[in-house]
Structure formats: C-alpha cells, structure tokens
Amino acid sequence: MSTRLTTDPADFQATVFPFLEQDPVLHTLIMSNVSDRAASQYEPEPSYFVSVHDDAGEVTGAAMRTPGRRVYVGALRADLAAEVAEAYFEVLPELGGVAGDRAAVTAFGQRWSELSGADRAPWTESAGTRLHQLEALTPLTAPGSLRPMRATDVQLAHDWILDGFPEEAPFLEPNWAEHKLAQGTLWIWEANGEPVSMAAYRHPVFGVSRVGPVYTPPDHRRHGYAGALTGEVTAKLLAQGIKPCLYTDLANPTSNKIYAQLGYLPVTDFVDLIFAP
C-alpha cells in the first residue's frame, strides 16, 4: 500500500474519481468539492489531496483537506487511515482535526497522536452528521410557494448564510450567492409576498446532487416552509434524473424528522475529531 499527495484538484480528480464513482452518494462531499476546485480559479491557499493505492497501483481510498478545514476522510476504510495520517503529518503537522467515518477517524487520530507526541494525544468529538439519500419522495405542504432566486435575493442569501451557518461562512467563496444565482441552484419559499426559507443544491456529479444549505430564519420557523421547499427542490432534481442526497446535523432532531418524512433514508454517520493544541 502507498499514498500519493497532490495540491492539484484536476490531477486528484483524474486519479480517484474512477474509484469514487462506484458510490457517488457515499463520496458526494469529496467529489463535489474536488469538481468545484478543478473547475474554478478560486483557491485562497492550497488544498491537500491524498489517494491510497494498493500494490498494483489501484486506488483504494481518498481524503482531502481544503483551506482552513479538518482533513476529511469520508468513508475511508479504517485500515488505511494510519497511512493517510502519515501523509498529512508531513505537510500539515499543526492540523486541527479530522472528519469522517468513526472507525477511520479514530485510527487516524491514534496515528496522529503517535506522530505528534503525548502532548497532542487527546482529542474531542465535536459534531456528528448523517448522510441521507432519497428512497421515494413524499411531498410536504406549507403556506406559500416556490420560486427561483432573484438578483434581489443575493444580499438576503448572504445574510441568511451568516445567520444560519456562521461556522461555514468563512469557507464560502466571496460571491457564493452570485454563483448560485448564475447557476440557478438556489430556491426561495415565499409566503404572503415575503421570502421565508431558502434551499440550494450542488451541481450533480455522476448523477448525484447534494441538497443544501437549507435555512429558515427563526421568526419563520414551525410553519413547514423548509420541508415543503426541500421537497420541491428534490422533485426538480428527480425530474432531471438526478439522485438527491443531503446531510443533517445529528444534534438537530427537527431536521432529521422532516427529511425522513420527505423520504430521505440514512446512509451512514460521520463524526469530527478536534485535536488538542
């Protein structure tokens, strides 16, 4: 077994996508991020991509670390995680953590502790997410209706992202909302002439599109807007022959319940580990 590290997303895409496309839902996060970076000039600092190869040179695993983030190993096999940790330790010895399958991140963390010394051995589990894919859509209803994002919604989308996902906002492109407008991949739920919820999705990669972010401001919640909106966006993807998937926060029982009602079924859970400074 060997690992290869690159900062070139196009090179990484060519190397690992034939392996990852065997299950594009399970690998949606890596595939969509790498696709975006391979097609875009926006990259404030390098990303680091690692591929794992067997003795015949065939890809058996992949991981990525985009600027400012933890390493993401996704569904990496646990027995490959130690070598991936070694590859990242050579270039990012001050890494803050790792995210992905629990067994894989635990193995990564154990090897990282060995490499970095006893003073960095402890880590804490900071979050849990659940990947879902749609089985069969059951639409939900709410007052109001769906409409595409308009140019006049750009600032609103920016503000809602800052309010709803402040931890994610620093990692978005400065013109994130403008790109969504140009792509036609963000939709608004409007009630009584007022925008009350938004939902976006990623361009499909190998027939799979990830829905999100979905956000409803606090003063518009408990009316079913997000559920109805997500259902409508999901239906649009299905009409194009695209398989929808999405992530939920395991600590948010409301969103997990809504997506289950829509017909999204769990695929697997992922966890984040934060290394001690």
Side-chain angles (χ1 to χ4, degrees), residues 136-162:
L137 179 62
T138 301
L140 301 177
T141 60
S145 60
L146 179 80
R147 68 163 174 80
M149 178 189 188
R150 301 170 183 157
T152 53
D153 298 316
V154 166
Q155 187 59 53
L156 180 67
H158 276 299
D159 293 343
W160 280 1
I161 283 291
L162 291 174

Side-chain angles (χ1 to χ4, degrees), residues 1-2 4 53-60:
M1 182 176 66
S2 63
R4 300 176 192 170
H53 303 257
D54 62 19
D55 292 341
E58 296 297 319
V59 176
T60 57

Side-chain angles (χ1 to χ4, degrees), residues 64-85:
M64 69 177 183
R65 195 272 190 172
T66 53
R69 300 275 194 170
R70 304 177 185 107
V71 166
Y72 180 76
V73 299
L76 184 75
R77 284 170 24 203
D79 62 305
L80 307 180
E83 296 231 13
V84 173

